[in-house]
Amino acid sequence: MDGREKIYIRTSIGTLALLKKESIRMFEKPYTAYILQYSDKGCSGNCIFCIQSRVNSGLRKDMLARISWPKIELREFLHFLEKKGKRLFKRICIQSVIKNEFIEEIIYIVKKFEELGLDIPVSVAITPVDKDILYKLRSLGVDRIGVGLDAASPRIFKLVGKPYTWNKYINFIKDSLDVFGYRRVVVHLIAGLGEREQELYRVMENLISLGADIALFAHTPLPKLKSYPLGRPSIEYYRRAQIVRTLLLKGYRLNEIFYVRENRLCFREDIVDEVREAIDLYMLSTLTSGCPWCNRPYYNESPRGPFYNIPSTKMLENLKNTIAKEVLEAISKCIELNQ
Ligand code: SF4
């Protein structure tokens, strides 16, 4: 990669609209500039829930989740970014796909961002790579690594066709923590891939105790996607996961959050009281989780709702009565174990 050939990337429609001042109807603005590595055939992974995956070969490759990602030449994107990036964005996120020489290309793209000298933090979301690549990315100014583990357990990992193995991902998360440090490795988990609720809680507890952070996503069952029959998680399920993530990050263990009665998992009374008394604070759990300033507006949700991840505090303020009710209802229910 010597800079003479044309390199294309994809960028989320919201990112591009802000940079090019296009007048699309935007209910919420992204705080992060989202970039997706370009491949005309998509990713050579087999994840059944991802439009980019080759198992969903009949689908448009300019889409990811609910968002369209137009193709643009890297040079053109850099031009816009240099002019307006600092004013518009607080972070840049580059998401990789698996294709020939994708690692070299990611490094090249990151170098190009570094050369602009914008001083905007950069995240790279990538599948397992060697530790020397992680050191290289860190030396180029990347401050956080996103890891699309996606599945809540080895069982779901296999079921949804993730590439490599569960253990390879866990080792990669540990390597990334060695290189980038505490809470600077953000593991993507998708709620609603057929996992048991307690599997999701257990994996969050394990990852958080390793030192990672969690970015929660809701499964987006678009028609024609191989994962379509899995449907979408209920809001109640998702709110519980968001609250459990916050409690785990505050230092609680699962056995301090829940008790088991008659094969049901219930929130402890003192935890329910704590959440109720500080509901304004706990509602912040419903804001989009992940790297600082990653708000992914409408990535998982239609502008008509339901809203899994709330992209801004302003929107949270507008929805506060509904969200407070959802949170309190969600944690007042017990969950049947082993369903
Ligand atoms: S949490 Fe957001 S910014 Fe961070 S890697 Fe994931 S998508 Fe990118």
Side-chain angles (χ1 to χ4, degrees), residues 34 91 93 95 123 125 146 186 188 215 290-291 294 296:
Y34 294 100
R91 174 166 293 277
C93 170
Q95 304 182 38
S123 302
V186 179
H188 297 185
C291 301
C294 174
R296 311 188 292 275

Side-chain angles (χ1 to χ4, degrees), residues 6-73:
K6 277 191 181 177
I7 294 191
Y8 290 96
I9 55 166
R10 293 190 182 282
T11 178
S12 80
I13 186 75
T15 305
L16 195 61
L18 281 185
L19 281 173
K20 288 176 86 174
K21 265 194 154 178
E22 273 177 2
S23 50
I24 63 161
R25 213 165 147 220
M26 215 184 307
F27 298 93
E28 289 287 334
K29 290 179 182 155
Y31 304 141
T32 293
Y34 294 100
I35 292 143
L36 174 66
Q37 211 169 6
Y38 173 76
S39 160
D40 53 354
K41 295 184 196 65
C43 178
S44 56
N46 292 322
C47 305
I48 63 169
F49 53 83
C50 180
I51 300 179
Q52 292 296 316
S53 151
R54 64 179 169 187
V55 292
N56 290 311
S57 57
L59 291 168
R60 287 170 51 182
K61 295 301 174 207
D62 62 346
M63 297 286 290
L64 185 61
R66 289 195 66 264
I67 308 264
S68 83
W69 296 72
K71 173 183 168 186
I72 181 170
E73 202 189 333

Side-chain angles (χ1 to χ4, degrees), residues 104-269:
E104 290 79 356
E105 193 183 83
I106 286 279
I107 289 172
Y108 180 81
I109 294 170
V110 172
K111 257 192 199 148
K112 289 288 159 197
F113 289 144
E114 199 208 14
E115 282 167 20
L116 292 182
L118 293 176
D119 197 26
I120 305 176
V122 176
S123 302
V124 170
I126 196 162
T127 42
V129 292
D130 290 342
K131 214 168 175 178
D132 56 334
I133 302 297
L134 294 171
Y135 282 118
K136 178 81 190 161
L137 291 171
R138 194 185 68 180
S139 74
L140 291 170
V142 172
D143 81 329
R144 275 170 174 77
I145 288 289
V147 184
L149 180 64
D150 301 322
S153 68
R155 181 179 73 87
I156 300 296
F157 187 91
K158 266 201 194 141
L159 203 81
V160 299
K162 288 291 301 174
Y164 313 116
T165 62
W166 175 267
N167 284 343
K168 189 168 172 106
Y169 267 86
I170 300 299
N171 288 332
F172 176 58
I173 291 165
K174 290 178 181 164
D175 279 353
S176 303
L177 282 163
D178 279 350
V179 176
F180 285 88
Y182 186 73
R183 300 285 185 250
R184 285 174 179 265
V185 178
V186 179
V187 182
H188 297 185
L189 290 176
I190 303 179
L193 290 180
E195 73 281 351
R196 298 185 191 104
E197 209 162 328
Q198 65 268 32
E199 283 179 310
L200 184 57
Y201 300 159
R202 221 174 290 134
V203 76
M204 285 203 282
E205 182 180 53
N206 290 339
L207 293 168
I208 285 171
S209 67
L210 282 178
D213 198 346
I214 307 286
L216 274 175
F217 292 71
H219 177 234
T220 308
L222 300 172
K224 294 193 186 156
L225 213 52
K226 291 268 183 296
S227 65
Y228 181 70
L230 294 173
R232 59 170 83 235
S234 70
I235 278 288
E236 184 190 297
Y237 182 103
Y238 203 73
R239 295 288 176 250
R240 266 198 298 276
Q242 288 170 316
I243 292 290
V244 171
R245 171 184 172 273
T246 297
L247 290 165
L248 291 168
L249 284 169
K250 281 184 82 171
Y252 286 102
R253 306 290 304 188
L254 285 180
N255 61 6
E256 295 167 319
I257 301 172
F258 293 107
Y259 66 94
V260 178
R261 189 174 58 197
E262 294 165 2
N263 215 27
R264 296 167 87 216
L265 197 61
C266 310
F267 279 83
R268 290 184 177 277
E269 252 173 55

